[in-house]
Amino acid sequence: TWTEGPAGFHPVMGEFKKGAFSIAKKAGVPIVPISLVGTGNLMPNGKEGLLFPGSTKMVIHPRIETKDRDPSDVQKEARAAIASALPPGSY
């Protein structure tokens, strides 16, 4: 689930939506934040459908338990985890 809204190139991380975090809490499952770095270079805006050479980095962060937690707090923790792997100024 993309928690920050629609797909497409955005130079900065968008606002996270609360739905995924509320559903995770109700289901009793953890959130596993994942940072994707460098994908904008492989699929530049306006050239969807074309792939360009390059590399990306995927960072899988430690899971965040949702039990007995407010979804807003989990949301903030997940956003901070994802931002920790992004270049300065992109969050």
Side-chain angles (χ1 to χ4, degrees):
T1 300
W2 300 102
T3 60
E4 64 167 296
F9 178 73
H10 306 282
V12 296
M13 186 167 53
E15 177 185 348
F16 280 30
K17 308 299 181 191
K18 192 174 177 181
F21 302 97
S22 295
I23 292 169
K25 179 182 172 76
K26 288 177 186 174
V29 297
I31 294 287
V32 179
I34 298 174
S35 300
L36 299 174
V37 183
T39 57
N41 298 329
L42 300 179
M43 295 179 65
N45 196 27
K47 297 190 181 198
E48 292 79 7
L50 298 175
L51 291 176
F52 293 83
S55 62
T56 62
K57 176 178 162 185
M58 178 189 295
V59 179
I60 302 173
H61 301 278
R63 70 188 202 172
I64 302 171
E65 296 299 333
T66 59
K67 185 178 179 182
D68 300 324
R69 305 236 1 237
D70 183 277
S72 295
D73 293 336
V74 175
Q75 177 185 11
K76 290 175 191 168
E77 187 176 341
R79 190 176 200 291
I82 291 168
S84 73
L86 300 180
S90 61
Y91 50 90

